[in-house]
Amino acid sequence: MAGRADPWAEVDFDEIQDQTCLEVDDIKVLFNCFQLFDTKHQDYLLADDIDEVMRAMGFRPTATELAALIEEIDEDGSGAIEFGEFAQLCAKFLVEDPDPGTMRAELKQAFRVFDKAGTGFITIVQFRGIIAEVDKNLTEEDLDDIIAEIDEDGSRTMDFEVFCEMMM
């Protein structure tokens, strides 16, 4: 196989994984699909053709949903959907959110990590650290506002139900 070009050379897997949470194998499949639909080999698909492409792939967004998604992912507003944008669009249909029961069970496990004493509460200071870690773009002022909203009773603690509301 010497001399054969790497078919994935132009795909930035790390960047696409960061943007979509897709596995490398899923990205490769999407890239192959993208190439099949890019019949003119322009390295983009026209936004006007995306509805047909989505339906051919088995996705059934409404016209309104599709228009909103295209507006969201067509970063440069060109109407030309490059592969990275195409992968983001497809990921909206491929990456499933966990059902509420599963999410609640996972949050319960996370809550127990912070509720070391088993009191059924975590401190607001602990929660502030959690949200600061989850969203590193939050400013101190943002964190103060979130904490003020959560700690309405001034107890400086949070039970599991409030924790779930904030995290879901």
Side-chain angles (χ1 to χ4, degrees):
M1 296 280 170
R4 189 167 181 195
D6 179 3
W8 317 114
E10 60 191 81
V11 179
D12 185 343
F13 290 103
D14 291 334
E15 181 179 343
I16 293 172
Q17 280 186 301
D18 287 346
Q19 294 171 338
T20 65
C21 297
L22 292 171
E23 298 295 326
V24 169
D25 288 342
D26 295 328
I27 296 168
K28 287 179 178 181
V29 169
L30 289 178
F31 185 71
N32 287 335
C33 290
F34 181 85
Q35 288 184 315
L36 286 173
F37 291 112
D38 181 19
T39 57
K40 296 179 183 173
H41 307 288
Q42 303 174 100
D43 294 329
Y44 66 86
L45 303 173
L46 294 174
D48 293 341
D49 298 331
I50 292 295
D51 181 52
E52 185 178 326
V53 171
M54 292 286 100
R55 295 195 184 290
M57 293 177 65
F59 305 132
R60 303 282 185 254
T62 66
T64 305
E65 289 172 330
L66 190 59
L69 287 170
I70 289 172
E71 184 177 330
E72 178 185 330
I73 60 112
D74 186 15
E75 295 169 358
D76 57 8
S78 66
I81 308 299
E82 292 89 11
F83 175 67
E85 296 168 329
F86 178 76
Q88 289 178 52
L89 178 65
C90 291
K92 302 283 186 183
F93 301 96
L94 294 172
V95 177
E96 297 180 27
D97 291 330
D99 65 88
T102 301
M103 184 73 155
R104 190 170 175 83
E106 290 175 3
L107 287 173
K108 186 72 168 174
Q109 288 178 329
F111 187 82
R112 285 184 181 136
V113 169
F114 296 102
D115 181 20
K116 291 179 177 50
T119 61
F121 296 92
I122 61 174
T123 68
I124 293 298
V125 172
Q126 288 172 307
F127 186 70
R128 182 186 182 104
I130 294 168
I131 56 177
E133 187 65 31
V134 169
D135 188 348
K136 296 189 185 308
N137 294 324
L138 291 172
T139 65
E140 289 298 316
E141 185 177 326
D142 293 334
L143 291 168
D144 290 343
D145 291 343
I146 293 168
I147 296 304
E149 183 179 325
I150 295 168
D151 194 26
E152 292 175 349
D153 65 358
S155 68
R156 307 296 293 157
T157 61
M158 168 188 294
D159 68 10
F160 177 68
E161 293 305 319
V162 173
F163 180 75
C164 275
E165 287 175 28
M166 291 306 300
M167 299 305 283
M168 292 175 94

